[in-house]
Amino acid sequence: SQQGEEDPQALSIQEGENATMNCSYKTSINNLQWYRQNSGRGLVHLILIRSNEREKHSGRLRVTLDTSKKSSSLLITASRAADTASYFCATEYSGGSNYKLTFGKGTLLTVNP
Amino acid sequence: GAGVSQTPSNKVTEKGKYVELRCDPISGHTALYWYRQSLGQGPEFLIYFQGTGAADDSGLPNDRFFAVRPEGSVSTLKIQRTERGDSAVYLCASSLLGHDTEAFFGQGTRLTVV
């Protein structure tokens, strides 16, 4: 079963605009990760935020985590056409030694040139 | 190799046939995962290896699915008596052991059962 839910399911913006995607999850986590996927194949790791962190930056990416609301957001600033892809949040459940990830259904981002 | 390698990249098989999907993880990565992704969905966990042993196979949908990692490196996902509902992209990932580690994904095998 999928733990996370991304919102919106699809997002279309113009190049140069910012894109914000949200993720909600259900159980206690060790960390939350964001991945990017082009053309339905391999996933590329973007950023990991630990449960005791509230905000993290990496280049044009900004991730926030609110464990009280069990939600996270991914902000991509100054978007480019090359940012067009599906974006997934994934959580690592905190209840044991298993490090498996539970993914949401993803947000399809389209950046129009 | 530099990344996780999966072969074949595409596999078309007839209903009822047996298939094997191979994953070659990043050298030194003790943890290996298989996920399955259907169209329009996020990846769903199938099985997790810690070294040679399957530490968690709770995501395998039924006993037609089996995976091995005999030497703690290459892993093979085996599907018996394939069904059309098995059609999906099968993704393999590897990582170092421990929490808060990045998982590196292969490009996946797109399995189509006709």
Side-chain angles (χ1 to χ4, degrees):
Chain A
S1 63
Q2 309 208 263
Q3 140 131 282
E5 287 289 335
E6 284 93 340
D7 167 51
Q9 290 186 338
L11 179 62
S12 181
I13 60 174
Q14 295 300 123
E15 208 165 26
E17 294 180 340
N18 295 342
T20 300
M21 289 161 268
N22 303 296
C23 168
S24 60
Y25 58 91
K26 298 175 184 172
T27 61
S28 296
I29 61 172
N30 286 326
N31 63 68
L32 185 144
Q33 305 180 36
W34 285 90
Y35 284 82
R36 166 198 166 119
Q37 185 177 45
N38 288 84
S39 305
R41 297 307 287 261
L43 289 100
V44 174
H45 184 266
L46 295 176
I47 197 164
L48 180 153
I49 186 166
R50 295 177 176 80
S51 60
N52 61 354
E53 298 176 312
R54 292 297 166 257
E55 187 170 316
K56 206 161 182 180
H57 296 255
S58 176
R60 294 185 295 114
L61 306 180
R62 172 178 169 255
V63 169
T64 61
L65 178 64
D66 186 336
T67 52
S68 67
K69 295 181 179 178
K70 291 186 169 59
S71 67
S72 172
S73 67
L74 170 67
L75 169 67
I76 304 174
T77 60
S79 63
R80 306 165 182 169
D83 294 329
T84 295
S86 291
Y87 291 82
F88 294 90
C89 69
T91 52
E92 183 190 303
Y93 171 55
S94 66
S97 61
N98 195 325
Y99 313 115
K100 70 185 181 186
L101 296 173
T102 304
F103 286 83
K105 293 185 177 181
T107 292
L108 176 59
L109 173 66
T110 302
V111 181
N112 302 297
Chain B
V4 178
S5 176
Q6 290 189 247
T7 54
S9 55
N10 289 283
K11 175 71 177 178
V12 179
T13 190
E14 292 181 348
K15 179 175 176 295
K17 299 288 188 184
Y18 167 82
V19 296
E20 289 189 352
L21 312 179
R22 176 188 168 107
C23 172
D24 201 337
I26 292 173
S27 178
H29 280 188
T30 306
L32 185 145
Y33 311 80
W34 284 98
Y35 291 84
R36 179 169 74 172
Q37 185 176 22
S38 301
L39 193 63
Q41 302 292 315
E44 291 192 306
F45 170 78
L46 295 177
I47 187 169
Y48 159 61
F49 285 91
Q50 190 168 311
T52 60
D56 182 349
D57 63 358
S58 61
L60 295 178
N62 51 61
D63 61 6
R64 295 186 297 105
F65 288 75
F66 190 70
V68 295
R69 196 186 184 197
E71 298 178 357
S73 180
V74 171
S75 176
T76 304
L77 178 65
K78 309 180 181 193
I79 310 174
Q80 298 177 320
R81 304 183 305 280
T82 52
E83 300 176 356
R84 292 197 179 88
D86 299 335
S87 296
V89 175
Y90 289 80
L91 295 163
C92 175
S94 71
S95 73
L96 297 172
L97 268 185
H99 295 295
D100 303 333
T101 59
E102 177 182 346
F104 293 83
F105 281 80
Q107 289 299 302
T109 294
R110 183 179 301 278
L111 175 66
T112 304
V113 182
V114 297

